[in-house]
Amino acid sequence: MIVAENIWKLFPVQRDRLGFKEFLVNFPRYFNGNKRNFVALKGVSFEVKKGQCLGVIGRNGAGKSTLLSLLLGVMQPSRGSIEVRGRKVPLLALGAGFHPDLTGRENLLMNGILLGNTEKEMLEKMDAVIDFSELADFIDRPLRTYSSGMCMRLAFSVAINANPGVLLIDEILGVGDASFRKKSSGTLRKLIKAGVATVYVSHSMQTVKDICDRVIWLEHGEIRAEGEPNSVIEDYISTQC
Amino acid sequence: MDRRNRQKLDLLKLLIKKAITLKYKRTYLGIFWSLLNPLMTALIYFFAFKVIMRFQMEHYSLYLLSALFPWVWFSSSITLCTNVLTSNVSLIRKVIFPKHYLIISSIIGQLITLVCAIPILLGLAYYYGKTPGMSWIIGIPPLIILQFFIIYGVALAISIVNVYFRDMQHIVSVGLNLLFWMTPIIYPLEMIPEKYKTYLLLNPVAYLILSWRDVFLHNTLNWKGLFVSLVIAVIVLSLGIVVYRRLEKGLDEVL
């Protein structure tokens, strides 16, 4: 279950560090450098119950990924509160912590433990994960020999088998071939039905319509619209182009 | 042990394993580089100081190596740890896990060199006619532990400061070079002029290195060295933890 209440996230505006030369030239200005903040999220609130999937749509830079990072806990909100119950499994980017020189199997183990499994649990699950990925033939080869689609399958397989209580997904189903895509969205739907709370960020409107039962539309860090996938997506599309 | 701690322990174990194995993946000589590298360095110093500058010293190779190997553990760990947070951005931004595990695993990964080198040092000592003694057995583990905590303390502070202030990595490389020449590694302690000797205390590794050398060269435990190193370890570690805790909070906004 996820409850987010009025969350704000501010980032200090990062410019290129003023070097030593600028320091000498602009001596006085260097110190009272106006510290401005970039506001990535301005008071966003929502709730996702068990068995629900919330879609998040919006243009690039609207704050979607920041929102996911906050839910995951790798970032702290500047204001507001977030409550997430259940084991959080992120699918933020393909295979965080994957190393090209390790084999598929070694990467699965590493990634599985990073996602909160113990080594023993992971070894027990290993066959199921490899099965799901359909990469049994390649599993003992180094990851650098994999295609990007294969990497993604590996990452997805380990994440979906990590007993998630909360799934945070950032644009992942877009990759992979048609058959795997179909399989993974089917498994995802089953997981959601079984009681996982999911937040799904995507630019693929079709997938959002397929999987999500509610959608929020972020614009400049604020919720512009919220509700039924079909109507929100229609409004969203009509304002683009 | 509950599940959560079990999982953390497994993660640390795996990170250590990764730190050790990845270092030599795709190389032909593999783990031998760990030894070859410092041995080659020692050969260069040996040539420069014994052959060219004609240091009049007995057992100079043992003298040099018994200090050089511990030093290499220190300097290579610090170098590696300076960038360990900045080079693992993708991991830190995508997964929640204790970030200091990255530091611990890097330090232990570098320890392997020293562990492999200890038999060489003992063999060399034996070759020079030193009789094996108890200090070989009871001296080495406490030295490793003390040095680990000194490295850990320094690495905690440096790694996190480097995230905010990238000039740190350049400062570190100059600083390590300075520290190397300030430590009696290739020259004996007696060569330092009397009036500078008191400043030796400012060097966090000098007494540690001297204690290492005493174990192999004189087969004795340097109690003073061990005690000073213990005090230094406590101070450095506390400072490291304070700095790390302070700066850890803003990490997500700058990394």
Side-chain angles (χ1 to χ4, degrees):
Chain A
M1 199 188 70
I2 304 169
V3 184
E5 248 172 76
N6 190 29
I7 45 175
W8 289 68
K9 182 66 183 172
L10 283 70
F11 289 98
V13 172
Q14 292 193 18
R15 275 162 299 180
D16 247 0
R17 180 115 334 156
L18 293 172
F20 187 63
K21 199 176 73 196
E22 286 79 2
F23 173 75
L24 289 179
V25 178
N26 307 320
F27 192 72
R29 256 182 294 162
Y30 194 82
F31 286 103
N32 56 26
N34 38 352
K35 283 201 173 141
R36 289 198 330 245
N37 283 314
F38 171 74
V39 189
L41 288 174
K42 305 171 188 164
V44 173
S45 307
F46 59 86
E47 199 182 311
V48 187
K49 292 205 180 71
K50 275 181 169 183
Q52 286 188 338
C53 179
L54 176 73
V56 181
I57 58 173
R59 308 180 58 168
N60 295 136
K64 304 185 295 295
S65 297
T66 305
L67 185 65
L68 279 188
S69 300
L70 288 167
L71 293 176
L72 180 60
V74 292
M75 283 186 188
Q76 301 303 319
S78 312
R79 259 174 277 162
S81 73
I82 296 173
E83 199 195 328
V84 181
R85 253 179 272 158
R87 186 195 285 184
K88 292 171 260 186
V89 170
L91 288 171
L92 296 192
L94 305 182
F98 271 13
H99 196 287
D101 284 340
L102 295 176
T103 66
R105 191 188 296 275
E106 288 167 327
N107 272 307
L108 280 183
L109 184 64
M110 186 75 202
N111 209 248
I113 292 176
L114 277 171
L115 292 180
N117 297 290
T118 65
E119 190 173 0
K120 191 160 152 269
E121 288 169 353
M122 201 51 218
L123 290 174
E124 281 163 4
K125 264 183 222 170
M126 193 60 93
D127 287 334
V129 176
I130 294 172
D131 247 20
F132 188 92
S133 70
E134 300 168 18
L135 291 168
D137 296 345
F138 300 89
I139 205 69
D140 290 310
R141 294 190 201 163
L143 199 74
R144 63 172 183 276
T145 62
Y146 285 36
S147 73
S148 55
M150 284 156 76
C151 279
M152 167 266 162
R153 283 160 78 137
L154 208 61
F156 187 82
S157 308
V158 66
I160 211 148
N161 282 293
N163 296 333
V166 171
L167 258 181
L168 306 169
I169 306 175
D170 195 350
E171 195 84 274
I172 191 165
L173 300 181
V175 219
D177 52 34
S179 80
F180 190 78
R181 203 148 59 193
K182 203 170 150 200
K183 177 171 156 186
S184 49
S185 70
T187 317
L188 204 58
R189 217 165 303 167
K190 249 187 267 166
L191 263 178
I192 296 167
K193 288 248 169 62
V196 173
T198 309
V199 175
Y200 182 60
V201 170
S202 181
H203 290 291
S204 154
M205 294 306 143
Q206 192 51 49
T207 336
V208 173
K209 274 184 201 166
D210 283 353
I211 296 181
C212 304
D213 36 39
R214 221 150 41 84
V215 169
I216 57 177
W217 168 11
L218 281 184
E219 197 168 88
H220 303 303
E222 289 170 298
I223 295 182
R224 172 145 171 196
E226 183 175 2
E228 281 293 305
N230 285 321
S231 60
V232 177
I233 287 174
E234 223 165 84
D235 288 352
Y236 173 68
I237 289 173
S238 66
T239 59
Q240 309 304 308
C241 65
Chain B
M1 197 189 316
D2 72 333
R3 215 190 135 274
R4 189 93 195 101
N5 288 329
R6 177 88 244 162
Q7 184 255 339
K8 283 190 176 166
L9 189 72
D10 286 344
L11 177 62
L12 185 59
K13 265 191 341 207
L14 207 63
L15 281 171
I16 292 171
K17 195 178 148 202
K18 191 174 152 189
I20 296 170
T21 53
L22 275 183
K23 224 161 81 174
Y24 302 108
K25 274 252 156 114
R26 306 185 73 178
T27 61
Y28 286 105
L29 289 180
I31 193 103
F32 288 109
W33 275 117
S34 269
L35 291 177
L36 218 53
N37 203 329
L39 280 176
M40 290 299 190
T41 317
L43 204 66
I44 296 169
Y45 289 135
F46 186 83
F47 186 75
F49 287 88
K50 188 81 179 175
V51 179
I52 296 179
M53 286 158 82
R54 311 222 181 110
F55 263 31
Q56 295 303 316
M57 277 185 67
E58 236 192 334
H59 310 331
Y60 186 64
S61 49
L62 178 61
Y63 190 89
L64 181 62
L65 285 176
S66 59
L68 190 64
F69 277 111
W71 166 262
V72 167
W73 181 31
F74 178 82
S75 73
S76 63
S77 302
I78 297 295
T79 309
L80 201 63
C81 287
T82 306
N83 291 316
V84 81
L85 293 178
T86 44
S87 59
N88 281 293
V89 178
S90 72
L91 202 56
I92 292 169
R93 287 177 68 161
K94 264 138 215 160
V95 194
I96 329 161
F97 71 105
K99 289 178 274 294
H100 57 272
Y101 282 12
L102 291 171
I103 298 173
I104 297 177
S105 58
S106 310
I107 300 174
I108 296 182
Q110 297 299 312
L111 171 62
I112 295 305
T113 312
L114 181 60
V115 170
C116 297
I118 285 173
I120 297 185
L121 292 174
L122 292 180
L124 207 58
Y126 189 73
Y127 171 78
Y128 280 130
K130 318 274 179 202
T131 42
M134 278 307 279
S135 61
W136 286 7
I137 300 163
I138 57 167
I140 292 171
L143 279 170
I144 290 183
I145 293 168
L146 280 176
Q147 185 166 350
F148 174 82
F149 283 115
I150 293 177
I151 297 176
Y152 186 43
V154 176
L156 274 176
I158 286 180
S159 64
I160 199 117
V161 167
N162 189 47
V163 174
Y164 294 84
F165 178 66
R166 303 283 163 112
D167 303 48
M168 198 65 196
Q169 48 197 316
H170 304 288
I171 296 172
V172 165
S173 74
V174 176
L176 279 173
N177 203 357
L178 180 69
L179 205 60
F180 174 77
W181 292 99
M182 275 169 57
T183 312
I185 296 171
I186 52 174
Y187 57 85
L189 176 66
E190 293 73 43
M191 280 181 86
I192 303 178
E194 207 52 50
K195 58 175 176 179
Y196 293 122
K197 262 189 191 164
T198 41
Y199 296 112
L200 207 63
L201 267 174
L202 292 175
N203 179 343
V205 288
Y207 277 92
L208 194 75
I209 297 288
L210 290 175
S211 313
W212 272 107
R213 178 173 284 153
D214 279 339
V215 167
F216 293 106
L217 206 65
H218 304 120
N219 210 341
T220 53
L221 290 178
N222 183 340
W223 289 106
K224 186 189 171 202
L226 283 169
F227 179 74
V228 172
S229 302
L230 178 65
V231 173
I232 289 174
V234 171
I235 296 172
V236 167
L237 190 61
S238 324
L239 280 176
I241 291 173
V242 169
V243 172
Y244 188 82
R245 288 254 171 89
R246 277 296 285 279
L247 296 179
E248 195 189 9
K249 288 186 191 101
L251 206 58
D252 61 317
E253 282 156 18
V254 287
L255 207 56

